[in-house]
Each structure stands twice: as structure tokens, then as C-alpha cells.
């Protein structure tokens, strides 16, 4: 749930007041009064943990400096054709270009500006607020560099200026979107004032010649759903690109010995994409876990209280819950101290041996605080989940469900499961979730989901993407859902023959077009549809 929505909810306001009052008490005595589970209903899980994340001093510091960055600043470049001499009164009358600019810039700022999205225009450049002459390209580019924009939106306001538009894009080398308002006015005498579409063809070729990766929204009216979807898709793609080429993955421990399927080429990830993998060895991890348990017992006891409010703990004693809750503090510390974005971690193997507890519950709870923590040290899984989180711009948590078993009764359905790491807010609302075998146990709520996998094989990199709907199926242990596909045998064949392994990442909603569009901006990344038509 977006924070601006959450802040208007009574549970959020009441719980915020409660936390702020408690922070005025002694440092280690901020016990939080138990609040009725039924009172929170649908809001409970996301509100509960995001409030906790946002309103503790430590978490505020943590969230402002680390993790994925979902904010975008978009540079708007409205352009018109340059024609020296007196102002035209017929073809290419500049008044029509200015009107198109004002309509487009105003519409974008009104309908797409939010807490994550800001637009920077060219009203300072001249009296029209348009890029007209090529001599202004460097000024415009310098201004956008100083404004620290993340992406570029070229708006053809009439025929445009292919040389100027292309030059700004060439200098900045940022993800670029191209569009122009559909030409609607043709006078009775045949006079046309804009010829916007004709100019779009020319601008696009200049972008191609400069090797600029760009997205395109078909020549349409700005009020259409086509335009809205095109802008939304580009914002998602730009967010992914912004984070992808600077992604910093914290790897805690090594991959499980038997799991050769999660091997990666660390050197190649850095050389080709700039992705850094920062190792934390198990000796250091164990020492930090023990220190955290010893020195933050009061905070950890608060975590245990919250866990009992949310989960049926099935008789697990407080000593074990304290150890399980220690991972909540541990993972935040590791991510902050190593300036990381996401984590790929050892889980059911070394963690239990080293610390006597499993981290699955903490990973589930932290997912609702915006942290991406992938189990079984699956680096490509961490990359995939990061991509999906950015596609949703942080508004929905990705999860990590693997292909496990076919549905016992349906030929078109598959169990997507992992041992307990899905975000708690994703659980079906029918019942209070429980802990079984020291791990979260619940079915994910019904709906449509995107499923994806980033993978490498023989030096090539691939991105698998598709959608599915949930269906009913048998209850099982862990966190899971039953997914319906149109061509399940085809998908199984892909996972058998490669390059993809059976670990996939999922997120609520349909982001397949965003994944496909993304491959334009990541050289060498090949998109594969999950199911061929």
C-alpha cells in the first residue's frame, strides 16, 4: 500500500501516535500495546510492518540511504521545427506547437506527478518553453545533468527538430521516451499546422543513428488509455534501468553445496552490467547474530510480541522466537553496513547450524518493510526480484516461488512454493497464518501475477516473463499458491531444457510488457515469453 494512502487510514494514525508516545519513554522500554488482529483486517499486515519500518529512528536512517531507489526525475524535451524568418501563419504556425506543449506538460505534471515522480521542463529556455534550435542542445543537456534527471521524454509538438532532439539524447545517454500528439486539425483549404507524426519518423531515425535506446508511444491523443499505459510502462522501465546498472547484492554465505543450479558468474555480472556482489562470510554473520541477540534483547522481545500478534506460533517457545526474530535486526544491519540493495542468503543449511534458528520468518516480515531477501543464495533470483520490485516501483512486494509439483487433479496448474519467505501481507485473508516447522505457513491471496526469471547460460543473458492466475488446490506447508497456465507442458520443457532453472520470482499484477520493453535498454539481454502463443 502506498504511504500516502496508508497515512490516511485510522489504524496507521493510531499506531503512529502510539509509537511516537513510546519513543518518549526510556530507550529500551518501548513495548507496543497489543492491538486486535481483527481491527486491522485487510490493512493489518502492510500497515503494521511499514509503520514499524518508517517510524523507528533506526529504520528511517536505513530506508533513506539504502535499498532500491524507486524515485524518478524525468526531463521533458518538447520540440518544434526551427524555421528562420517571420512567424508562420499557416503550416508550422508556432502557436499550435506551444499549445501542444502546454497541454502535454500540464497533463503529465497533473496526472503522473507523485511522491516518486517529478518532471523537469524547459520553461526557462525561451518564451515558448520549447527546444527549437540545435545551438541550445548543450545548455539543455547541462541543465538536465544539474537537475540529476533519470530519463528523458521527447515530445514532438509539431514536426519537431530531429537534429536537436537526437543531440540532447546523445549527450545524456539516458532511457528515452518518444511521443507526439495526434494531428487533428486539417482546415477546409487543406492547411495542416503540425505534421507531428511525420516528424516522429524522422526523430526516431536520428535516435537510432546515435544508438539511443528508446521507447515509443504510438501517435495518439494524450487523454487516451494508450498514452497512460505507455507512460506508466516507461516509468517502470526507467526505474528498473536506474537500479539495474548499480545493483549491489549482499551475498551471505555460499550457495548450498548440492545446489549447482544457482551458480553464477560474478565477474561477468560486474563487467557486463556493473552489478556488484558483496560477500559476507558465515563466520562474520554468526558473530553478528550472536552480538545482536546479546545487545538488543529488548528490541528483539518487541519483535516477538509482534510476531505473536500476527502468527499462531504453534507452541514455539520464546527462546526460539527470540533467535528467529534476531534475523530481523541482523539483515537490516548487514544491508546498511555494506551499502546494499538486496540480499541473497544462506538459509536452511548454514544458518540453522551456526545460530540454531531459521531466518524464513524474518525474511517474510522484512519483505513487508521493503527488503528483498532471497533464500538459497540465488543471485539471479535476487536480480529477478529486484527487477519486479522496480517494475512495480516499490508499491508491491515480489516473492520467490519455485516450480515444485503438478496439481494432483488439474493438468494446467502448478504449485509455486517456497519454505516460508513470502511477504506476510500476501497471505490469504481467510485465516490467521501459522508457523509450522519454525517457518511461515500460508496460501497467497488469489489474483493475477507476473512470473519472471533472469538467467545466464554460455555467456548469454535471458529474461523470462509471463502471467498466471491462481486456482484452488490442496493445502500444503510453507508459503505457496497454485498457478494456472495455458501451456504448462511448454513451460516445463523450457525449465528442463534451459537456460532457466525452477526458481522464479513473482509479483501481483501484469508487468510482462515492462519486462519485454526493458530488454531494449540492457544490451545483450534477451526476452523470452513464458508461453508461446
Amino acid at each position: 500500500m502506498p504511504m500516502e494512502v496508508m497515512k490516511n487510514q485510522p489504524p496507521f494514525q493510531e499506531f503512529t501516535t502510539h509509537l511516537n508516545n513510546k519513543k518518549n519513554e526510556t530507550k529500551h522500554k518501548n513495548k507496543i500495546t497489543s492491538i486486535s488482529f481483527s481491527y486491522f483486517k485487510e490493512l493489518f499486515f502492510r500497515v503494521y510492518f511499514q509503520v514499524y519500518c518508517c517510524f523507528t529512528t533506526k529504520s528511517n536512517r536505513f530506508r533513506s540511504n539504502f535499498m532500491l531507489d524507486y524515485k524518478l526525475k524525468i526531463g521533458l524535451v518538447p520540440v518544434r521545427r526551427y524555421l528562420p524568418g517571420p512567424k508562420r501563419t499557416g503550416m508550422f504556425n508556432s502557436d499550435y506547437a506551444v499549445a501542444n506543449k502546454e497541454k502535454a506538460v500540464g497533463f503529465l505534471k497533473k496526472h503522473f506527478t507523485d511522491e516518486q515522480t517529478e518532471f523537469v521542463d524547459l520553461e526557462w529556455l525561451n518564451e515558448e518553453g520549447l527546444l527549437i534550435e540545435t545551438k541550445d542542445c548543450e545548455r539543455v543537456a547541462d541543465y538536465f545533468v544539474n537537475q540529476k534527471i533519470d530519463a528523458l521524454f521527447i515530445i514532438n509538438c509539431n514536426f519537431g527538430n530531429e537534429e536537436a532532439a537526437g543531440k540532447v539524447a546523445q549527450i545524456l545517454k539516458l532511457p528515452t521516451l518518444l511521443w507526439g500528439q495526434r494531428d487533428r486539425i486539417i482546415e477546409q483549404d487543406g492547411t495542416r499546422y503540425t505534421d507531428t507524426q511525420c516528424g516522429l519518423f524522422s526523430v526516431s531515425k536520428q535516435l537510432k543513428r546515435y544508438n539511443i535506446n528508446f521507447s515509443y508511444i504510438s501517435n495518439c491523443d494524450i487523454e487516451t488509455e494508450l498514452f497512460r499505459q505507455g507512460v506508466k510502462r516507461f516509468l517502470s522501465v526507467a526505474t528498473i534501468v536506474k537500479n539495474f546498472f548499480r545493483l549491489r547484492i549482499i551475498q551471505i554465505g555460499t550457495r548450498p553445496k548440492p545446489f549447482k543450479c544457482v551458480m553464477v558468474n560474478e565477474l561477468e555480472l560486474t563487467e557486463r552490467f556493473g552489478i556488484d556482489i558483496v560477500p559476507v562470510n558465515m563466520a562474520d554473520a554468526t558473530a553478528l547474530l550472536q552480538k545482536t541477540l546479546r545487545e538488543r534483547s529488548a528490541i528483539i522481545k518487541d519483535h516477538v510480541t509482534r510476531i505473536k500478534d500476527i502468527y499462531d506460533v504453534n507452541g514455539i517457545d520464546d527462546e526460539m522466537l527470540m533467535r528467529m526474530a534476531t534475523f530481523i535486526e541482523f539483515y537490516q544491519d548487514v544491508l546498511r553496513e555494506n551499502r546494499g540493495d538486496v540480499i541473497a542468503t544462506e538459509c536452511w543449511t548454514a544458518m540453522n547450524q551456526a545460530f540454531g534458528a531459521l531466518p524464513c520468518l524474518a525474511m517474510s516480515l522484512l519483505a513487508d518493510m521493503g527488503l528483498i531477501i532471497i533464500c538459497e543464495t540465488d543471485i539471479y533470483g535476487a536480480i529477478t526480484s529486484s527487477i519486479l520490485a522496480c517494475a512495480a516501483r516499490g508499491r508491491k512486494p515480489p516473492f520467490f516461488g519455485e516450480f515444485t509439483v503438478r496439481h494432483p487433479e488439474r493438468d494446467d496448474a502448478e504449485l509455486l512454493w517456497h519454505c516460508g519467505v513470502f511477504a506476510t501481507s500476501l497471505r490469504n485473508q481467510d485465516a490467521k497464518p501459522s508457523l509450522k516447522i519454525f517457518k511461515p505457513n500460508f496460501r497467497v491471496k488469489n489474483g493475477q501475477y507476473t512470473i519472471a526469471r533472469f538467467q545466464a547460460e554460455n555467456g548469454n543473458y535471458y529474461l523470462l516473463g509471463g502471467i498466471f492466475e491462481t486456482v484452488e488446490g490442496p493445502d500444503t506447508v510453507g508459503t505457496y499458491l497454485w498457478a494456472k497456465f495455458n501451456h504448462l507442458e511448454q513451460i516445463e520443457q523450457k525449465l528442463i531444457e534451459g537456460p532457466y532453472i525452477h526458481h522464479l520470482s513473482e509479483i501481483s499484477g501484469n508487468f510482462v510488457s515492462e519486462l519485454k520493453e526493458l530488454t531494449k535498454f540492457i544490451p545483450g539481454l534477451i526476452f523470452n515469453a513464458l508461453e508461446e502463443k
Side-chain angles (χ1 to χ4, degrees):
M1 179 181 294
M3 289 303 299
E4 74 276 9
V5 176
M6 290 169 54
K7 289 177 181 177
N8 294 326
Q9 303 297 331
F12 186 101
Q13 295 168 346
E14 180 176 328
F15 198 42
T16 299
T17 301
H18 178 77
L19 284 177
N20 288 335
N21 289 339
K22 286 296 182 180
K23 285 195 290 185
N24 293 330
E25 298 178 5
T26 58
K27 182 176 180 181
H28 297 298
K29 293 183 179 181
N30 57 341
K31 300 293 184 181
I32 295 177
T33 304
S34 175
I35 301 174
S36 169
F37 179 83
S38 60
Y39 178 68
F40 281 91
K41 294 183 179 178
E42 295 285 333
L43 295 171
F44 180 82
F45 290 97
R46 294 304 296 271
V47 172
Y48 198 86
F49 285 104
Q50 292 209 33
V51 169
Y52 174 69
C53 181
C54 295
F55 285 89
T56 60
T57 302
K58 175 182 172 182
S59 292
N60 272 331
R61 184 172 66 249
F62 170 74
R63 288 178 65 86
S64 63
N65 294 323
F66 305 100
M67 305 195 302
L68 299 170
D69 184 0
Y70 304 115
K71 292 186 177 182
L72 285 178
K73 186 178 283 191
I74 308 296
L76 300 178
V77 186
V79 294
R80 75 161 173 88
R81 188 167 189 175
Y82 172 62
L83 294 168
K87 179 179 177 179
R88 295 283 188 101
T89 58
M91 176 72 80
F92 302 132
N93 182 330
S94 61
D95 291 344
Y96 290 87
V98 172
N100 277 341
K101 181 268 299 185
E102 290 177 349
K103 183 176 182 180
V105 172
F107 188 91
L108 286 165
K109 290 185 176 182
K110 178 179 178 180
H111 294 282
F112 293 95
T113 299
D114 56 29
E115 76 283 356
Q116 294 182 333
T117 312
E118 179 182 352
F119 295 97
V120 181
D121 59 40
L122 298 184
E123 291 303 312
W124 56 272
L125 183 61
N126 51 46
E127 63 181 12
E128 295 183 4
L130 289 157
L131 177 61
I132 304 168
E133 298 187 62
T134 305
K135 67 180 179 63
D136 288 326
C137 290
E138 290 189 1
R139 288 177 62 206
V140 169
D142 288 344
Y143 177 74
F144 283 150
V145 168
N146 290 333
Q147 289 293 313
K148 298 181 180 179
I149 68 167
D150 303 297
L152 204 61
F153 189 172
I154 297 172
I155 304 170
N156 243 27
C157 296
N158 60 14
F159 185 86
N161 185 329
E162 62 193 90
E163 183 182 10
K167 180 57 66 175
V168 171
Q170 182 196 35
I171 295 170
L172 293 172
K173 293 181 172 62
L174 292 170
T176 299
L177 177 62
L178 174 64
W179 168 83
Q181 175 75 30
R182 183 172 171 178
D183 303 288
R184 288 288 185 181
I185 301 175
I186 301 179
E187 302 290 3
Q188 288 187 351
D189 64 359
T191 300
R192 305 184 312 274
Y193 297 106
T194 51
D195 280 5
T196 300
Q197 187 194 44
C198 188
L200 288 169
F201 294 129
S202 299
V203 174
S204 68
K205 297 307 174 289
Q206 193 66 10
L207 294 175
K208 294 282 287 185
R209 290 171 183 135
Y210 280 140
N211 295 313
I212 303 300
N213 300 316
F214 68 95
S215 292
Y216 176 66
I217 301 175
S218 296
N219 181 222
C220 65
D221 294 317
I222 200 168
E223 301 89 355
T224 60
E225 181 65 13
L226 177 62
F227 181 82
R228 191 189 74 82
Q229 289 293 339
V231 173
K232 178 177 174 290
R233 179 174 59 248
F234 181 72
L235 295 177
S236 292
V237 171
T239 305
I240 301 171
V241 173
K242 176 179 180 177
N243 286 277
F244 184 85
F245 290 107
R246 51 154 286 272
L247 190 63
R248 191 170 170 87
I249 303 171
I250 310 304
Q251 177 182 325
I252 303 176
T254 62
R255 65 171 175 83
K257 183 178 179 181
F259 284 17
K260 295 180 75 67
C261 62
V262 298
M263 295 193 317
V264 300
N265 187 329
E266 179 181 344
L267 177 61
E268 194 168 73
L269 283 173
T270 301
E271 289 180 337
R272 291 187 61 167
F273 305 120
I275 296 174
D276 282 328
I277 300 174
V278 181
V280 176
N281 66 55
M282 279 305 302
D284 290 340
T286 304
L288 180 57
L289 281 163
Q290 292 170 342
K291 179 182 178 183
T292 302
L293 177 60
R294 184 172 60 250
E295 296 182 358
R296 297 192 203 163
S297 61
I299 295 173
I300 295 168
K301 285 179 182 177
D302 285 343
H303 289 312
V304 170
T305 299
R306 297 183 184 97
I307 289 166
K308 289 180 177 180
D309 283 340
I310 297 164
Y311 280 92
D312 177 356
V313 300
N314 279 325
I316 299 175
D317 62 38
D318 281 4
E319 182 180 356
M320 176 55 71
L321 289 173
M322 286 284 289
R323 287 188 169 272
M324 294 164 66
T326 300
F327 285 102
I328 298 173
E329 294 294 305
F330 165 76
Y331 282 126
Q332 293 185 73
D333 285 349
V334 169
L335 203 59
R336 181 179 62 252
E337 290 169 7
N338 290 281
R339 304 188 65 81
D341 298 308
V342 297
I343 292 174
T345 182
E346 287 220 37
C347 47
W348 53 267
T349 51
M351 289 298 183
N352 195 31
Q353 295 171 0
F355 190 61
L358 295 169
C360 308
L361 173 61
M363 294 160 72
S364 175
L365 300 179
L366 288 168
D368 279 318
M369 292 166 58
L371 279 73
I372 296 175
I373 307 173
I374 299 302
C375 56
E376 297 172 340
T377 329
D378 187 342
I379 299 295
Y380 293 150
I383 294 172
T384 311
S385 291
S386 300
I387 289 172
L388 291 182
C390 289
R393 304 196 67 198
R395 295 183 172 101
K396 302 176 181 180
F399 56 103
F400 193 52
E402 65 181 22
F403 273 61
T404 309
V405 297
R406 298 281 292 269
H407 196 290
E409 298 173 356
R410 298 183 59 136
D411 292 337
D412 60 354
E414 177 81 19
L415 177 67
L416 300 183
W417 169 95
H418 237 122
C419 50
V421 297
F422 298 179
T424 302
S425 63
L426 294 171
R427 97 279 183 254
N428 190 305
Q429 304 288 333
D430 291 344
K432 187 174 184 178
S434 63
L435 299 180
K436 292 185 179 179
I437 322 175
F438 307 102
K439 303 170 186 176
N441 182 84
F442 57 82
R443 182 197 298 261
V444 171
K445 64 183 71 172
N446 291 327
Q448 183 185 69
Y449 293 86
T450 298
I451 185 168
R453 176 72 187 185
F454 177 93
Q455 190 71 49
E457 185 177 75
N458 296 324
N460 297 313
Y461 283 81
Y462 304 88
L463 183 61
L464 183 70
I467 58 171
F468 64 85
E469 301 277 350
T470 57
V471 295
E472 294 303 313
D475 291 335
T476 186
V477 296
T479 47
Y480 65 96
L481 57 77
W482 290 96
K484 175 186 177 296
F485 299 97
N486 294 323
H487 305 288
L488 184 55
E489 291 82 4
Q490 185 184 107
I491 299 169
E492 182 179 341
Q493 198 75 18
K494 283 187 176 182
L495 298 183
I496 291 292
E497 295 182 353
Y500 309 101
I501 70 169
H502 65 296
H503 285 184
L504 290 101
S505 298
E506 298 83 19
I507 197 165
S508 176
N510 186 344
F511 295 96
V512 175
S513 64
E514 285 83 352
L515 299 181
K516 185 175 182 179
E517 191 74 7
L518 171 66
T519 57
K520 290 182 179 179
F521 299 92
I522 301 180
L525 184 61
I526 302 166
F527 178 78
N528 283 164
L530 181 71
E531 300 178 273
E532 306 296 337
K533 294 183 179 179

